[in-house]
Amino acid sequence: MLLFHRLRNWRKNTISAPILKAFKKVLPPMSSTEKEAIEAGTVWWDAELFSGNPDWQKLMTYPVPALTRQEQAFLDNEVEQACSLVNDWQVTTQDMDLPEAAWQYIRENKFLGMIIPPQYGGLGFSAFAHSEVITRLSTRNSALAVSVMVPNSLGPAELLVHYGTPEQKDYYLPRLASGQEIPAFALTSPWAGSDAAAIPDSGIVCKGVWNGEEVLGMRVSWDKRYITLAPVCTLLGLAFRLYDPDGLLGNQKDIGITCALVPRDHPGVEIGRRHFPLNAMFMNGPTRGKDVFMPLDFIIGGPEMAGQGWRMLMECLAAGRSISLPSSNVGMSQLTVRTVGAYSRIRKQFNLQIGRFEGIEEVLARMGANTYASNAVRIMTAGAVDLGEKPSVVSSIAKYHVTERARSVVNDGMDIIGGKGICLGPSNFMGRAYQQIPIGITVEGANILTRSLIIFGQGAIRCHPYILKEMQAAQEADPTTSLDNFDRLLWQHIGFSTRNGLLTLASGLFGARVFTIQHHAAPETMKYYRQITRLSSALAFMADLTMLSLGGSLKRREKISARLGDVLAQLYIASATLRQYENNGRQQDELPLVHKAVQQCLFDAQSALLQTCRNFPKRGIGLLLRLFSFPWGASFSPPSDALDSAICEQLMQPSATRDRLTVNCHIPKDIDDPVHAIEQALLYAIKAEPIEAKIRQDEKNGIFKNHPRANDRDIAQLAFEMNRISTEEYELLATRNRLRDTVIHVDDFPPDLRNPAAFMNIRNTRQGDRT
Ligand SMILES: Cc1cc2nc3c(=O)[nH]c(=O)nc-3n(C[C@H](O)[C@H](O)[C@H](O)COP(=O)(O)OP(=O)(O)OC[C@H]3O[C@@H](n4cnc5c(N)ncnc54)[C@H](O)[C@@H]3O)c2cc1C
């Protein structure tokens, strides 16, 4: 015992103490805003992936997100009704806004108060239900989705629920829930976008007159831009930096970022002008104010919360970010994959459905797998929020990777439908999604920044079992406690890294079979759990060596940080995909999608690891990392081509897989709607195929040889006249032709497009010109 004690002391003083000294030197300098950002929120499955040995049993026992009866009824009734009140073409070319009936409907039916607890009159929906609503609205119209999304994301309601004074909650929350107030939240300024903590907007504590009395308040000046709902909001959440030069509140002169709620009609508030974001018609615009006096009671949480704004924003960011963009972008992906899958069956070139060409098959299958994986991420992440997590790293992963996958799905969809997607008009079901994709990429943390700085930057510190604790130990004021704590953590950390290094090497040499998986996974997916564990161990080992060798300079090495973040993210996406497969009851018809999605994640994670090794700033360490992780070279291949045709088969016909994959799509009942038309045209295209095959056979047999063929319409007529097909078959072909033409034709307008009325003077097959 004594010997052990002596040895420990020797270790502490001879080894740990100099390391602690060096560690303090390489610790990146951190401002309080950075510290608050890093420490905000919680870690969840991301921490398991970072541990090198994820506990699969844990993942599989998290409850499966489900809707209550009330939430399901809301989705089936109110959400469907809201969708039916909006016509995208009308919104984007004539009204330049949601129709008044839609505004009224969403306000009166509490769409703006989904996250407000029922005791304040809100719907108090789960995060999963909230996500389901946004996903479905996004398959209809972006203005509708965004107008609902923003009040339920980070903004006045969320901040009031967590930090409001009882008076503020009692007054504002019921008004926000009932749609009597429309909120907006203004943080971004022309000079501070991504670096939002650097906002120059300021308030000075001073005395002034409010409601006829002299009170202590603030004189606030701001210049904000890009603020969603600002032009129509009645209640403006405002972030600014508060100063107290005269010491009216205490000794602190720079109090810090503060959030206040300012009524729109407060004297001095300039608001109402609009930006024009890529033809999306949700309300968005600037707001300004110069030396606007407001009482301290306007501060969210009252005067005690002055200076706490950044912490409040960071603490609440994760919940909204887990839902808004992942849901709206999954909505876009679902709509794209559903309509484009059908279009690939309806549209023929070279006398073949375009989806039968291998080139299209490859692209359509990729769209399917991306949509499956994104949906899995959306559901799993919303589920984490419902478990009470504020998953800061996971929400960044979901935001970045779902929006990037949506960009890929929509781009792919546009490529498949060709000119049909390019010519705008009421029958174009994709053009607006394509236009608006960059919005999701930019908001709630622009994607390049999120990938380069946030995912691994925050993940490495938050998810790592020891780093944050070691940093806290190093910053401990009492030197003895600091060294004691640091010593204990350091040796645990060394054990952790050694274990991961050895496991990485062993699995590199002998394959992922060295890992035993506790969870009773489906046999058809078991290998993936092992492979994810293998890459998780490589990530943990690589992350440790990277932090050890690069220290504080890692913050500037964004390419390294981005790639390691990619590994973490791909492992998260693969885990979510496997979980979705389990949650859906291991549907065999989904397997090709699951295989493709997971294999792509593993391949991408491997590429990111190899790129990290190849570009590692210290060559020797890069080689060592590669030798440990992939001693025989790359182990994972991209998904095989063989999966593609199985996936496309499901996406090009009405199928259970297609329905599950696109379950959130609003399918309009209006026969003039392009999404409705495409659904009908798909049904008839399939029914017509055996009849066409019969005609083709007759053609091959020379039945029509004396009647040169012009097009399939003529030959069907001929087959009918020659009694080769029945009246019903002929009529079915005629219906198919009519529906197909509705789908493939595009709109045209009078020559002078300067007149907005021209956009309502539409002509296409539905007006009867070629039916
Ligand atoms: C339609 C729309 C709605 C919005 N709604 C709101 C709202 O309601 N309220 C609100 O407050 N704000 C809102 N915003 C603002 C939005 O959050 C910002 O646009 C976003 O934070 C990015 O800021 P920026 O556009 O000024 O880009 P910049 O900050 O100028 O960034 C430019 C580029 O630099 C990259 N970049 C920046 N720093 C780094 C780094 N360290 N490493 C790598 N890359 C980096 C970014 O990723 C981006 O690609 C909205 C914006 C838009 C366009």
Side-chain angles (χ1 to χ4, degrees):
M1 198 65 188
L2 188 67
L3 182 67
F4 176 74
H5 196 66
R6 276 198 188 150
L7 264 175
R8 197 161 172 235
N9 269 344
W10 175 83
R11 180 187 85 181
K12 194 162 65 177
N13 296 321
T14 325
I15 307 177
S16 304
I19 296 180
L20 174 59
K21 208 168 148 195
F23 184 65
K24 281 184 178 169
K25 269 197 203 145
V26 299
L27 260 187
M30 233 182 261
S31 65
S32 62
T33 44
E34 276 179 305
K35 209 159 166 271
E36 276 164 5
I38 280 195
E39 287 176 4
T42 58
V43 290
W44 187 59
W45 182 245
D46 42 336
E48 289 290 328
L49 292 170
F50 223 94
S51 72
N53 189 16
D55 178 353
W56 291 106
Q57 194 57 35
K58 204 166 167 184
L59 181 75
M60 294 302 161
T61 46
Y62 290 134
V64 179
L67 298 176
T68 63
R69 223 191 271 172
Q70 184 213 354
E71 290 164 345
Q72 184 65 58
F74 188 82
L75 209 63
D76 294 341
N77 301 305
E78 281 86 345
V79 175
E80 282 295 294
Q81 177 63 15
C83 287
S84 70
L85 292 172
V86 178
N87 173 307
D88 196 80
W89 182 247
Q90 177 84 21
V91 167
T92 51
T93 54
Q94 299 296 299
D95 299 346
M96 306 301 193
D97 186 5
L98 286 179
E100 188 43 44
W103 268 118
Q104 197 181 338
Y105 189 80
I106 59 173
R107 291 166 78 156
E108 285 176 357
N109 287 281
K110 304 189 176 182
F111 278 75
L112 310 190
M114 281 190 286
I115 58 164
I116 297 178
Q119 80 242 39
Y120 295 106
L123 292 173
F125 276 0
S126 66
F128 176 58
H130 172 188
S131 164
E132 290 281 289
V133 172
I134 301 298
T135 309
R136 183 159 313 177
L137 295 177
S138 303
T139 67
R140 184 63 181 158
N141 171 261
S142 60
L144 179 64
V146 172
S147 305
V148 172
M149 190 167 103
V150 166
N152 288 292
S153 190
L154 180 56
E158 173 89 352
L159 294 172
L160 281 169
V161 167
H162 288 96
Y163 307 102
T165 61
E167 298 74 36
Q168 288 172 335
K169 286 183 183 178
D170 290 343
Y171 181 72
Y172 280 123
L173 288 176
R175 293 166 67 87
L176 285 163
S178 66
Q180 205 177 334
E181 301 276 5
I182 295 189
F185 191 80
L187 172 64
T188 306
S189 98
W191 300 276
S194 301
D195 187 9
I199 40 173
D201 313 287
S202 62
I204 307 287
V205 180
C206 62
K207 289 192 174 148
V209 177
W210 173 243
N211 284 344
E213 281 179 37
E214 192 185 60
V215 295
L216 201 52
M218 315 165 276
R219 213 172 46 244
V220 185
S221 298
W222 69 94
D223 183 355
K224 305 285 193 183
R225 66 176 180 183
Y226 304 150
I227 309 308
T228 303
L229 295 185
V232 293
C233 79
T234 58
L235 186 62
L236 180 67
L238 195 60
F240 54 88
R241 202 166 190 101
L242 189 61
Y243 298 92
D244 184 16
D246 301 328
L248 296 174
L249 290 179
N251 297 330
Q252 209 178 338
K253 296 214 179 316
D254 178 357
I255 294 181
I257 292 179
T258 300
C259 297
L261 286 182
V262 189
R264 178 198 183 93
D265 53 11
H266 187 75
V269 175
E270 289 173 41
I271 202 160
R273 290 181 68 80
R274 286 179 74 174
H275 298 306
F276 192 30
L278 292 172
N279 278 348
M281 291 302 158
F282 59 85
M283 291 289 161
N284 183 279
T287 169
R288 295 180 189 92
K290 179 105 181 80
D291 294 333
V292 176
F293 181 78
M294 52 187 81
L296 290 178
D297 290 346
F298 277 20
I299 295 175
I300 300 177
E304 303 87 81
M305 293 306 275
Q308 298 299 310
W310 192 250
R311 184 175 64 78
M312 287 156 64
L313 292 174
M314 290 302 108
E315 280 176 2
C316 292
L317 178 67
R321 191 171 54 187
S322 294
I323 294 166
S324 305
L325 275 308
S327 308
S328 56
N329 279 256
V330 163
M332 278 197 214
S333 299
Q334 287 195 9
L335 180 69
T336 306
V337 91
R338 188 169 182 102
T339 49
V340 174
Y343 189 87
S344 306
R345 183 83 178 244
I346 297 162
R347 173 70 167 162
K348 282 184 183 170
Q349 286 296 282
F350 304 98
N351 209 22
L352 193 65
Q353 293 98 345
I354 57 168
R356 303 284 177 216
F357 297 116
E358 282 200 353
I360 297 283
E361 189 180 273
E362 184 183 9
V363 177
L364 185 58
R366 179 167 66 214
M367 292 166 62
N370 273 333
T371 304
Y372 191 93
S374 298
N375 200 32
V377 167
R378 170 186 77 87
I379 294 172
M380 184 157 115
T381 310
V385 176
D386 280 331
L387 289 174
E389 301 291 344
K390 292 177 177 171
S392 47
V393 179
V394 159
S395 66
S396 306
I397 292 176
K399 192 272 156 173
Y400 176 87
H401 285 272
V402 172
T403 56
E404 288 296 340
R405 274 170 162 72
R407 166 146 70 182
S408 158
V409 169
V410 171
N411 273 342
D412 282 345
M414 285 293 282
D415 290 355
I416 289 181
I417 67 173
K420 171 75 191 173
I422 289 167
C423 294
L424 289 175
S427 46
N428 184 335
F429 50 90
M430 280 217 53
R432 294 295 186 201
Y434 177 75
Q435 262 184 320
Q436 292 161 17
I437 272 288
I439 298 175
I441 302 287
T442 301
V443 300
E444 294 208 5
N447 275 11
I448 298 178
L449 164 98
T450 303
R451 173 171 180 258
S452 316
L453 207 63
I454 310 289
I455 298 178
F456 184 75
Q458 203 172 24
I461 297 177
R462 288 309 312 276
C463 301
H464 194 288
Y466 300 108
I467 290 285
L468 185 61
K469 291 182 195 151
E470 285 165 344
M471 284 166 76
Q472 285 161 345
Q475 279 154 359
E476 168 70 49
D478 174 39
T480 317
T481 321
S482 171
L483 183 57
D484 275 347
N485 290 348
F486 187 79
D487 173 72
R488 181 175 37 79
L489 292 162
L490 175 71
W491 290 94
Q492 286 172 0
H493 188 162
I494 290 172
F496 168 81
S497 295
T498 311
R499 178 191 154 279
N500 278 325
L502 291 176
L503 278 175
T504 302
L505 182 62
S507 57
L509 288 171
F510 306 112
R513 72 184 79 86
V514 300
F515 295 104
T516 323
I517 301 300
Q518 299 303 331
H519 152 64
H520 298 296
E524 61 274 22
T525 53
M526 178 54 104
K527 66 175 177 193
Y528 297 135
Y529 293 87
R530 291 206 182 93
Q531 288 167 341
I532 296 173
T533 306
R534 173 181 169 189
L535 291 175
S536 155
S537 138
L539 169 67
F541 179 59
M542 229 179 247
D544 262 336
L545 273 197
T546 305
M547 286 188 276
L548 183 69
S549 60
L550 300 184
S553 73
L554 180 57
K555 204 168 148 186
R556 280 176 284 111
R557 302 280 187 183
E558 287 194 347
K559 289 181 195 162
I560 298 276
S561 175
R563 287 178 186 131
L564 291 176
D566 287 347
V567 181
L568 178 62
Q570 296 300 345
L571 300 186
Y572 182 77
I573 299 165
S575 312
T577 305
L578 293 173
R579 190 177 136 91
Q580 181 75 358
Y581 176 64
E582 294 291 325
N583 289 354
N584 283 357
R586 299 184 182 173
Q587 303 292 333
Q588 295 302 299
D589 55 303
E590 276 177 23
L591 262 180
L593 286 163
V594 174
H595 285 311
K596 189 169 173 81
V598 175
Q599 288 173 16
Q600 190 66 50
C601 289
L602 295 171
F603 180 73
D604 289 346
Q606 170 186 262
S607 307
L609 285 169
L610 286 171
Q611 289 289 328
T612 309
C613 299
R614 191 165 306 136
N615 295 287
F616 207 81
K618 297 183 180 170
R619 192 91 194 97
I621 296 183
L623 282 171
L624 179 83
L625 289 173
R626 194 192 152 102
L627 193 72
F628 265 64
S629 316
F630 299 102
W632 311 120
S635 315
F636 299 97
S637 311
S640 90
D641 288 353
L643 293 168
D644 293 353
S645 57
I647 294 175
C648 291
E649 202 50 49
Q650 299 295 322
L651 300 184
M652 287 168 58
Q653 63 175 322
S655 67
T657 321
R658 178 174 182 255
D659 285 344
R660 275 197 302 277
L661 186 65
T662 62
V663 65
N664 301 90
C665 275
H666 166 72
I667 309 292
K669 296 188 178 69
D670 172 7
I671 53 165
D672 276 339
D673 188 282
V675 176
H676 178 94
I678 212 163
E679 289 288 307
Q680 292 301 311
L682 175 64
L683 295 179
Y684 277 86
I686 292 168
K687 283 186 198 165
E689 280 168 12
I691 311 170
E692 286 183 310
K694 201 156 78 173
I695 296 175
R696 249 195 327 275
Q697 193 55 49
D698 279 353
E699 201 180 8
K700 267 193 197 153
N701 294 342
I703 306 278
F704 312 120
K705 68 174 181 288
N706 298 327
H707 307 270
R709 176 186 168 149
N711 61 36
D712 60 352
R713 208 177 295 239
D714 300 333
I715 206 156
Q717 176 78 30
L718 198 58
F720 176 55
E721 283 163 10
M722 293 172 73
N723 282 330
R724 305 299 302 172
I725 57 172
S726 68
T727 311
E728 292 85 61
E729 288 173 325
Y730 178 67
E731 280 170 1
L732 194 146
L733 286 181
T735 309
R736 189 282 311 265
N737 288 350
R738 187 171 46 76
L739 288 164
R740 179 199 57 197
D741 290 355
T742 302
V743 169
I744 64 173
H745 281 286
V746 300
D747 307 295
D748 53 64
F749 307 92
D752 187 0
L753 286 181
R754 281 175 304 180
N755 179 357
F759 287 114
M760 296 321 273
N761 183 356
I762 308 145
R763 194 184 60 157
N764 74 2
T765 43
R766 279 174 290 143
Q767 271 64 46
D769 56 339
R770 282 191 55 196
T771 40

